Amino acid sequence: MLACAYIPRHVSGYLSLISAWSGCPNATLNPYVAHLVELPKKKKSKLMYHQLEDGDQYRDEEEYGGNDVVQITKALDSFISETKIPVHEAKIVSSFLTINQDVCNGAVDLRVSIIFLPFHKHQRVDGKMENSMEGIRTINQKVIRHAPCSVGIFLDRGQTGFQQPHGSLSVQNIATFFSGGPDDREALACSKRILMHSQVSLTVFRFIQANSSIQNSWISDASHKGEEVVMAISSIGTENEMDNVFVDTFYNRYVAQGKASLIEKYVSDGAETLVALREILDNRYSLVIVGKGGRENSSLTIGMSDWEECPELGLVGDLLASSEMNFNGSLLVINNGTPRKMRPSSLHRQ
């Protein structure tokens, strides 16, 4: 994975995700944390490197990240020492107009499966959301369009959100929302990786059209793991078939084995979906994982686009990121990526 941070505040949330993803003993994790630094806007020197006066290089390095570099490195060193999880540190120095290209090319070079990007807003002490760096939003949108892999936009809500599970005595409750489509399937795939951690409890909520022909014969609760699971394949189309197969496989491997829970929510429209979301969030979830796209023109989200502010999060993700939902947990919105050919990267490994 490649986690991109602009400031030290972005790093702590990423380290919590890395800690959770490292809980699977049968799959090796190779995480990178890249510090994205805006190239200072100044007149380029005509002097060659060997012509610089003493101290010039040092002053440039200070501008390329400044004290943030020290704080990020210190946070990574502390995490590695505490958890014994190796994390590679990198830096990307580029203009904000082209830094998205360096991120995507770096992902190609490192062969990462997912890129994590910070949300452009952060939560204030009073719970309201406030813009941190507006330029981040444009970069996020560009990376999503051109990424060679999946992309996750992460909104870390600090102390009220997802915490590092490694070494923790308490179990954190995580929810994943699934309504169908490639983004939701990728979100569920990410959730499967996290649930392997012993200090994580995962509940998947599947939203189904109330008058849908999909009828599953299994009961959505981990306590009924001994019951027979019958896969129902819808005749509506290929997407429905893929969704059902994906969920059925998840049920067989995890829910039926008591490792996760799966709950169905039957809704008719966006209003009922909103009510269901509020009921779910009344419970304490430190992290919610959701796919960006879901189903296009789905009746499950009719009317929800009326208050959409951040389309890059999708309809559900946009709601969960707003202050109106009274949700204090962290949010991870997953975009399923398509491999693309990129040019060589300028990613600097450290």
Short mmCIF file of all heavy atoms in Angstrom, two decimals, residues 33-88:
data_model
loop_
_atom_site.label_atom_id
_atom_site.label_comp_id
_atom_site.label_asym_id
_atom_site.label_seq_id
_atom_site.Cartn_x
_atom_site.Cartn_y
_atom_site.Cartn_z
N VAL A 33 4.81 4.95 3.27
CA VAL A 33 4.23 6.24 3.62
C VAL A 33 5.02 7.31 2.87
O VAL A 33 6.22 7.48 3.10
CB VAL A 33 4.27 6.51 5.13
CG1 VAL A 33 3.80 7.94 5.43
CG2 VAL A 33 3.38 5.51 5.87
N ALA A 34 4.36 8.00 1.96
CA ALA A 34 5.01 9.02 1.14
C ALA A 34 4.62 10.41 1.62
O ALA A 34 3.43 10.73 1.72
CB ALA A 34 4.64 8.85 -0.33
N HIS A 35 5.61 11.23 1.92
CA HIS A 35 5.38 12.62 2.30
C HIS A 35 5.31 13.46 1.03
O HIS A 35 6.30 13.56 0.29
CB HIS A 35 6.52 13.11 3.21
CG HIS A 35 6.33 14.51 3.70
ND1 HIS A 35 7.37 15.26 4.23
CD2 HIS A 35 5.23 15.31 3.75
CE1 HIS A 35 6.92 16.44 4.58
NE2 HIS A 35 5.62 16.50 4.30
N LEU A 36 4.15 14.04 0.74
CA LEU A 36 3.96 14.86 -0.45
C LEU A 36 4.28 16.31 -0.11
O LEU A 36 3.66 16.90 0.79
CB LEU A 36 2.53 14.74 -0.97
CG LEU A 36 2.01 13.32 -1.22
CD1 LEU A 36 0.65 13.38 -1.92
CD2 LEU A 36 2.98 12.49 -2.02
N VAL A 37 5.24 16.87 -0.82
CA VAL A 37 5.70 18.23 -0.54
C VAL A 37 5.54 19.09 -1.79
O VAL A 37 5.97 18.70 -2.88
CB VAL A 37 7.18 18.24 -0.10
CG1 VAL A 37 7.63 19.66 0.23
CG2 VAL A 37 7.38 17.31 1.10
N GLU A 38 4.90 20.24 -1.62
CA GLU A 38 4.74 21.15 -2.76
C GLU A 38 6.08 21.82 -3.08
O GLU A 38 6.75 22.34 -2.19
CB GLU A 38 3.69 22.21 -2.47
CG GLU A 38 3.44 23.14 -3.64
CD GLU A 38 2.35 24.16 -3.36
OE1 GLU A 38 1.96 24.31 -2.19
OE2 GLU A 38 1.89 24.81 -4.32
N LEU A 39 6.46 21.79 -4.34
CA LEU A 39 7.69 22.42 -4.77
C LEU A 39 7.59 23.93 -4.55
O LEU A 39 6.65 24.56 -5.02
CB LEU A 39 7.93 22.13 -6.26
CG LEU A 39 9.26 22.59 -6.84
CD1 LEU A 39 10.42 21.81 -6.22
CD2 LEU A 39 9.27 22.41 -8.36
N PRO A 40 8.53 24.51 -3.81
CA PRO A 40 8.46 25.95 -3.53
C PRO A 40 8.43 26.77 -4.81
O PRO A 40 9.15 26.46 -5.76
CB PRO A 40 9.74 26.21 -2.73
CG PRO A 40 10.11 24.89 -2.16
CD PRO A 40 9.68 23.86 -3.17
N LYS A 41 7.59 27.77 -4.80
CA LYS A 41 7.50 28.65 -5.97
C LYS A 41 8.56 29.74 -5.87
O LYS A 41 8.40 30.75 -5.21
CB LYS A 41 6.10 29.29 -6.04
CG LYS A 41 4.98 28.27 -6.21
CD LYS A 41 3.63 28.96 -6.23
CE LYS A 41 2.51 27.94 -6.39
NZ LYS A 41 1.18 28.59 -6.37
N LYS A 42 9.67 29.49 -6.50
CA LYS A 42 10.75 30.47 -6.48
C LYS A 42 11.51 30.40 -7.78
O LYS A 42 11.41 29.42 -8.53
CB LYS A 42 11.69 30.21 -5.30
CG LYS A 42 12.42 28.88 -5.40
CD LYS A 42 13.37 28.69 -4.21
CE LYS A 42 14.14 27.39 -4.34
NZ LYS A 42 15.09 27.20 -3.22
N LYS A 43 12.25 31.41 -8.06
CA LYS A 43 13.03 31.47 -9.28
C LYS A 43 14.14 30.42 -9.25
O LYS A 43 14.88 30.30 -8.29
CB LYS A 43 13.65 32.87 -9.45
CG LYS A 43 14.40 33.04 -10.77
CD LYS A 43 14.91 34.46 -10.90
CE LYS A 43 15.66 34.65 -12.22
NZ LYS A 43 16.16 36.02 -12.35
N LYS A 44 14.23 29.64 -10.31
CA LYS A 44 15.23 28.60 -10.38
C LYS A 44 16.63 29.21 -10.51
O LYS A 44 16.84 30.14 -11.26
CB LYS A 44 14.96 27.66 -11.56
CG LYS A 44 13.68 26.86 -11.43
CD LYS A 44 13.51 25.91 -12.60
CE LYS A 44 12.25 25.08 -12.45
NZ LYS A 44 12.08 24.14 -13.59
N SER A 45 17.55 28.65 -9.78
CA SER A 45 18.93 29.11 -9.85
C SER A 45 19.60 28.59 -11.11
O SER A 45 19.35 27.47 -11.54
CB SER A 45 19.70 28.62 -8.61
OG SER A 45 21.08 28.95 -8.74
N LYS A 46 20.42 29.41 -11.72
CA LYS A 46 21.15 29.00 -12.91
C LYS A 46 22.47 28.31 -12.55
O LYS A 46 23.21 27.88 -13.42
CB LYS A 46 21.44 30.21 -13.80
CG LYS A 46 20.17 30.86 -14.35
CD LYS A 46 20.51 32.03 -15.25
CE LYS A 46 19.23 32.67 -15.81
NZ LYS A 46 19.55 33.82 -16.70
N LEU A 47 22.78 28.26 -11.24
CA LEU A 47 24.01 27.64 -10.80
C LEU A 47 23.91 26.12 -10.82
O LEU A 47 22.86 25.56 -10.53
CB LEU A 47 24.35 28.10 -9.37
CG LEU A 47 24.62 29.60 -9.17
CD1 LEU A 47 24.85 29.89 -7.70
CD2 LEU A 47 25.80 30.05 -10.02
N MET A 48 24.96 25.47 -11.18
CA MET A 48 25.04 24.02 -11.11
C MET A 48 25.22 23.61 -9.65
O MET A 48 25.55 24.42 -8.78
CB MET A 48 26.21 23.50 -11.95
CG MET A 48 26.12 23.90 -13.42
SD MET A 48 24.67 23.17 -14.24
CE MET A 48 25.20 21.46 -14.31
N TYR A 49 25.05 22.32 -9.38
CA TYR A 49 25.12 21.83 -8.01
C TYR A 49 26.47 22.18 -7.36
O TYR A 49 26.53 22.64 -6.22
CB TYR A 49 24.89 20.32 -7.98
CG TYR A 49 25.03 19.70 -6.61
CD1 TYR A 49 23.98 19.78 -5.69
CD2 TYR A 49 26.20 19.06 -6.23
CE1 TYR A 49 24.09 19.23 -4.43
CE2 TYR A 49 26.32 18.51 -4.97
CZ TYR A 49 25.27 18.59 -4.08
OH TYR A 49 25.38 18.05 -2.83
N HIS A 50 27.57 21.97 -8.10
CA HIS A 50 28.89 22.20 -7.53
C HIS A 50 29.21 23.68 -7.36
O HIS A 50 30.20 24.05 -6.73
CB HIS A 50 29.96 21.54 -8.41
CG HIS A 50 30.11 22.17 -9.76
ND1 HIS A 50 29.28 21.83 -10.80
CD2 HIS A 50 30.94 23.14 -10.22
CE1 HIS A 50 29.63 22.54 -11.87
NE2 HIS A 50 30.63 23.34 -11.55
N GLN A 51 28.32 24.57 -7.91
CA GLN A 51 28.55 26.00 -7.81
C GLN A 51 27.80 26.65 -6.64
O GLN A 51 27.97 27.83 -6.38
CB GLN A 51 28.15 26.70 -9.12
CG GLN A 51 28.98 26.30 -10.33
CD GLN A 51 28.45 26.91 -11.61
OE1 GLN A 51 27.25 26.86 -11.88
NE2 GLN A 51 29.34 27.50 -12.39
N LEU A 52 26.96 25.83 -5.97
CA LEU A 52 26.20 26.38 -4.85
C LEU A 52 27.13 26.74 -3.70
O LEU A 52 28.12 26.05 -3.44
CB LEU A 52 25.16 25.34 -4.37
CG LEU A 52 24.03 25.01 -5.33
CD1 LEU A 52 23.18 23.89 -4.77
CD2 LEU A 52 23.17 26.24 -5.59
N GLU A 53 26.80 27.80 -3.01
CA GLU A 53 27.58 28.20 -1.86
C GLU A 53 27.30 27.27 -0.69
O GLU A 53 26.26 26.61 -0.63
CB GLU A 53 27.26 29.64 -1.48
CG GLU A 53 27.63 30.65 -2.56
CD GLU A 53 27.30 32.06 -2.14
OE1 GLU A 53 26.84 32.23 -0.98
OE2 GLU A 53 27.50 32.99 -2.93
N ASP A 54 28.20 27.24 0.26
CA ASP A 54 28.02 26.40 1.44
C ASP A 54 26.71 26.76 2.15
O ASP A 54 26.43 27.93 2.44
CB ASP A 54 29.19 26.59 2.42
CG ASP A 54 30.49 26.05 1.85
OD1 ASP A 54 30.41 25.23 0.91
OD2 ASP A 54 31.57 26.44 2.34
N GLY A 55 25.94 25.73 2.44
CA GLY A 55 24.68 25.94 3.16
C GLY A 55 23.47 26.02 2.28
O GLY A 55 22.34 25.88 2.74
N ASP A 56 23.62 26.24 0.97
CA ASP A 56 22.47 26.38 0.09
C ASP A 56 21.64 25.11 0.04
O ASP A 56 20.42 25.14 0.07
CB ASP A 56 22.93 26.75 -1.33
CG ASP A 56 23.30 28.23 -1.43
OD1 ASP A 56 23.05 28.95 -0.44
OD2 ASP A 56 23.85 28.64 -2.48
N GLN A 57 22.30 23.97 -0.04
CA GLN A 57 21.58 22.70 -0.12
C GLN A 57 20.75 22.48 1.14
O GLN A 57 19.62 22.04 1.09
CB GLN A 57 22.56 21.54 -0.31
CG GLN A 57 21.86 20.19 -0.44
CD GLN A 57 22.84 19.05 -0.58
OE1 GLN A 57 24.04 19.25 -0.43
NE2 GLN A 57 22.33 17.87 -0.85
N TYR A 58 21.32 22.82 2.27
CA TYR A 58 20.62 22.64 3.53
C TYR A 58 19.34 23.47 3.58
O TYR A 58 18.29 23.00 3.99
CB TYR A 58 21.54 23.01 4.69
CG TYR A 58 20.86 22.97 6.04
CD1 TYR A 58 20.66 21.75 6.69
CD2 TYR A 58 20.40 24.14 6.65
CE1 TYR A 58 20.03 21.71 7.92
CE2 TYR A 58 19.77 24.09 7.88
CZ TYR A 58 19.60 22.86 8.52
OH TYR A 58 18.96 22.82 9.73
N ARG A 59 19.47 24.73 3.09
CA ARG A 59 18.28 25.59 3.13
C ARG A 59 17.20 25.06 2.20
O ARG A 59 16.02 25.13 2.50
CB ARG A 59 18.68 27.02 2.74
CG ARG A 59 19.48 27.75 3.83
CD ARG A 59 19.50 29.25 3.54
NE ARG A 59 20.21 29.55 2.31
CZ ARG A 59 21.51 29.77 2.24
NH1 ARG A 59 22.24 29.71 3.34
NH2 ARG A 59 22.09 30.07 1.09
N ASP A 60 17.57 24.49 1.04
CA ASP A 60 16.59 23.91 0.14
C ASP A 60 15.88 22.74 0.81
O ASP A 60 14.66 22.57 0.69
CB ASP A 60 17.26 23.45 -1.15
CG ASP A 60 17.60 24.62 -2.07
OD1 ASP A 60 17.04 25.70 -1.83
OD2 ASP A 60 18.43 24.44 -2.98
N GLU A 61 16.64 21.89 1.50
CA GLU A 61 16.04 20.73 2.15
C GLU A 61 15.03 21.17 3.19
O GLU A 61 14.01 20.53 3.39
CB GLU A 61 17.15 19.87 2.79
CG GLU A 61 17.97 19.08 1.79
CD GLU A 61 17.14 18.08 1.02
OE1 GLU A 61 16.20 17.51 1.61
OE2 GLU A 61 17.40 17.88 -0.17
N GLU A 62 15.34 22.30 3.89
CA GLU A 62 14.41 22.79 4.89
C GLU A 62 13.10 23.21 4.24
O GLU A 62 12.02 23.02 4.79
CB GLU A 62 15.04 23.97 5.64
CG GLU A 62 16.09 23.56 6.66
CD GLU A 62 15.48 22.71 7.76
OE1 GLU A 62 14.57 23.19 8.47
OE2 GLU A 62 15.92 21.56 7.91
N GLU A 63 13.18 23.80 3.03
CA GLU A 63 11.96 24.22 2.34
C GLU A 63 11.18 23.01 1.83
O GLU A 63 9.97 23.05 1.72
CB GLU A 63 12.31 25.15 1.18
CG GLU A 63 12.83 26.51 1.64
CD GLU A 63 12.99 27.46 0.47
OE1 GLU A 63 12.41 27.20 -0.59
OE2 GLU A 63 13.70 28.46 0.62
N TYR A 64 11.87 21.93 1.51
CA TYR A 64 11.21 20.74 0.99
C TYR A 64 10.67 19.88 2.13
O TYR A 64 11.07 18.76 2.33
CB TYR A 64 12.17 19.92 0.14
CG TYR A 64 12.65 20.62 -1.12
CD1 TYR A 64 13.83 20.24 -1.73
CD2 TYR A 64 11.91 21.66 -1.68
CE1 TYR A 64 14.27 20.88 -2.88
CE2 TYR A 64 12.34 22.30 -2.83
CZ TYR A 64 13.53 21.92 -3.42
OH TYR A 64 13.97 22.56 -4.55
N GLY A 65 9.73 20.43 2.88
CA GLY A 65 9.10 19.66 3.94
C GLY A 65 9.31 20.27 5.30
O GLY A 65 8.48 20.09 6.20
N GLY A 66 10.42 20.97 5.51
CA GLY A 66 10.67 21.64 6.77
C GLY A 66 10.61 20.69 7.96
O GLY A 66 11.06 19.55 7.91
N ASN A 67 10.01 21.17 9.04
CA ASN A 67 9.93 20.41 10.28
C ASN A 67 8.98 19.22 10.15
O ASN A 67 9.04 18.27 10.95
CB ASN A 67 9.48 21.32 11.42
CG ASN A 67 9.61 20.65 12.78
OD1 ASN A 67 10.67 20.11 13.11
ND2 ASN A 67 8.54 20.68 13.55
N ASP A 68 8.08 19.25 9.17
CA ASP A 68 7.16 18.12 8.96
C ASP A 68 7.92 16.83 8.71
O ASP A 68 7.50 15.75 9.12
CB ASP A 68 6.22 18.41 7.78
CG ASP A 68 5.15 19.43 8.14
OD1 ASP A 68 5.06 19.81 9.32
OD2 ASP A 68 4.42 19.86 7.23
N VAL A 69 9.03 16.93 7.99
CA VAL A 69 9.83 15.74 7.69
C VAL A 69 10.29 15.08 8.98
O VAL A 69 10.21 13.86 9.14
CB VAL A 69 11.06 16.11 6.82
CG1 VAL A 69 11.94 14.89 6.61
CG2 VAL A 69 10.60 16.67 5.49
N VAL A 70 10.77 15.89 9.92
CA VAL A 70 11.26 15.37 11.19
C VAL A 70 10.14 14.70 11.97
O VAL A 70 10.31 13.59 12.51
CB VAL A 70 11.89 16.51 12.02
CG1 VAL A 70 12.35 15.99 13.38
CG2 VAL A 70 13.05 17.14 11.27
N GLN A 71 8.97 15.34 12.02
CA GLN A 71 7.85 14.79 12.78
C GLN A 71 7.32 13.50 12.16
O GLN A 71 7.00 12.54 12.89
CB GLN A 71 6.73 15.83 12.86
CG GLN A 71 7.09 17.07 13.65
CD GLN A 71 5.90 18.00 13.81
OE1 GLN A 71 4.79 17.56 14.12
NE2 GLN A 71 6.12 19.29 13.59
N ILE A 72 7.23 13.45 10.84
CA ILE A 72 6.75 12.24 10.17
C ILE A 72 7.73 11.09 10.39
O ILE A 72 7.33 9.96 10.70
CB ILE A 72 6.54 12.51 8.67
CG1 ILE A 72 5.34 13.44 8.47
CG2 ILE A 72 6.33 11.20 7.91
CD1 ILE A 72 5.12 13.86 7.04
N THR A 73 9.02 11.37 10.24
CA THR A 73 10.03 10.33 10.44
C THR A 73 10.00 9.82 11.88
O THR A 73 10.10 8.61 12.13
CB THR A 73 11.43 10.87 10.12
OG1 THR A 73 11.47 11.27 8.75
CG2 THR A 73 12.49 9.81 10.36
N LYS A 74 9.84 10.72 12.83
CA LYS A 74 9.78 10.33 14.24
C LYS A 74 8.57 9.44 14.51
O LYS A 74 8.67 8.44 15.24
CB LYS A 74 9.71 11.59 15.11
CG LYS A 74 9.73 11.31 16.60
CD LYS A 74 9.73 12.59 17.40
CE LYS A 74 9.74 12.31 18.90
NZ LYS A 74 9.73 13.58 19.69
N ALA A 75 7.41 9.78 13.91
CA ALA A 75 6.20 8.98 14.10
C ALA A 75 6.37 7.58 13.51
O ALA A 75 5.96 6.58 14.12
CB ALA A 75 5.00 9.67 13.46
N LEU A 76 7.00 7.48 12.34
CA LEU A 76 7.22 6.19 11.71
C LEU A 76 8.21 5.36 12.51
O LEU A 76 8.00 4.15 12.72
CB LEU A 76 7.74 6.38 10.28
CG LEU A 76 6.77 7.01 9.29
CD1 LEU A 76 7.42 7.14 7.91
CD2 LEU A 76 5.49 6.21 9.18
N ASP A 77 9.29 5.97 12.98
CA ASP A 77 10.28 5.25 13.77
C ASP A 77 9.67 4.69 15.05
O ASP A 77 9.95 3.55 15.46
CB ASP A 77 11.46 6.16 14.12
CG ASP A 77 12.32 6.48 12.91
OD1 ASP A 77 12.20 5.77 11.90
OD2 ASP A 77 13.12 7.44 12.98
N SER A 78 8.83 5.49 15.69
CA SER A 78 8.17 5.07 16.92
C SER A 78 7.23 3.90 16.66
O SER A 78 7.18 2.93 17.43
CB SER A 78 7.40 6.24 17.54
OG SER A 78 6.71 5.84 18.70
N PHE A 79 6.47 3.99 15.55
CA PHE A 79 5.53 2.91 15.19
C PHE A 79 6.27 1.61 14.90
O PHE A 79 5.87 0.54 15.37
CB PHE A 79 4.72 3.35 13.97
CG PHE A 79 3.81 2.28 13.42
CD1 PHE A 79 2.57 2.04 14.00
CD2 PHE A 79 4.18 1.52 12.32
CE1 PHE A 79 1.72 1.06 13.51
CE2 PHE A 79 3.34 0.54 11.82
CZ PHE A 79 2.12 0.31 12.42
N ILE A 80 7.34 1.70 14.14
CA ILE A 80 8.13 0.51 13.78
C ILE A 80 8.72 -0.13 15.03
O ILE A 80 8.72 -1.36 15.19
CB ILE A 80 9.23 0.87 12.78
CG1 ILE A 80 8.61 1.34 11.45
CG2 ILE A 80 10.15 -0.32 12.52
CD1 ILE A 80 9.61 1.92 10.47
N SER A 81 9.23 0.70 15.93
CA SER A 81 9.84 0.19 17.16
C SER A 81 8.81 -0.51 18.04
O SER A 81 9.10 -1.53 18.66
CB SER A 81 10.50 1.34 17.92
OG SER A 81 11.00 0.92 19.16
N GLU A 82 7.60 0.05 18.07
CA GLU A 82 6.56 -0.49 18.95
C GLU A 82 5.91 -1.74 18.38
O GLU A 82 5.63 -2.70 19.11
CB GLU A 82 5.49 0.58 19.19
CG GLU A 82 4.31 0.13 20.04
CD GLU A 82 3.26 1.20 20.18
OE1 GLU A 82 3.53 2.36 19.79
OE2 GLU A 82 2.16 0.88 20.67
N THR A 83 5.64 -1.75 17.08
CA THR A 83 4.87 -2.84 16.48
C THR A 83 5.72 -3.88 15.75
O THR A 83 5.24 -4.96 15.44
CB THR A 83 3.87 -2.28 15.46
OG1 THR A 83 4.57 -1.68 14.37
CG2 THR A 83 2.95 -1.24 16.11
N LYS A 84 6.97 -3.52 15.43
CA LYS A 84 7.85 -4.39 14.64
C LYS A 84 7.34 -4.58 13.22
O LYS A 84 7.72 -5.53 12.53
CB LYS A 84 8.06 -5.76 15.31
CG LYS A 84 8.43 -5.69 16.79
CD LYS A 84 9.68 -4.86 17.01
CE LYS A 84 10.03 -4.79 18.50
NZ LYS A 84 11.16 -3.87 18.78
N ILE A 85 6.46 -3.68 12.78
CA ILE A 85 5.94 -3.72 11.41
C ILE A 85 6.80 -2.78 10.56
O ILE A 85 6.84 -1.57 10.81
CB ILE A 85 4.47 -3.26 11.35
CG1 ILE A 85 3.60 -4.18 12.21
CG2 ILE A 85 3.97 -3.24 9.91
CD1 ILE A 85 2.16 -3.69 12.35
N PRO A 86 7.51 -3.29 9.56
CA PRO A 86 8.36 -2.43 8.74
C PRO A 86 7.53 -1.52 7.84
O PRO A 86 6.64 -1.97 7.13
CB PRO A 86 9.19 -3.42 7.92
CG PRO A 86 8.33 -4.64 7.84
CD PRO A 86 7.57 -4.70 9.15
N VAL A 87 7.82 -0.23 7.88
CA VAL A 87 7.15 0.76 7.04
C VAL A 87 8.22 1.55 6.30
O VAL A 87 9.14 2.09 6.91
CB VAL A 87 6.27 1.72 7.86
CG1 VAL A 87 5.59 2.74 6.94
CG2 VAL A 87 5.23 0.96 8.66
N HIS A 88 8.11 1.62 4.98
CA HIS A 88 9.07 2.35 4.17
C HIS A 88 8.65 3.82 4.07
O HIS A 88 7.48 4.12 3.86
CB HIS A 88 9.16 1.75 2.77
CG HIS A 88 9.45 0.28 2.76
ND1 HIS A 88 10.70 -0.23 2.97
CD2 HIS A 88 8.62 -0.78 2.60
CE1 HIS A 88 10.65 -1.56 2.92
NE2 HIS A 88 9.40 -1.91 2.71
#
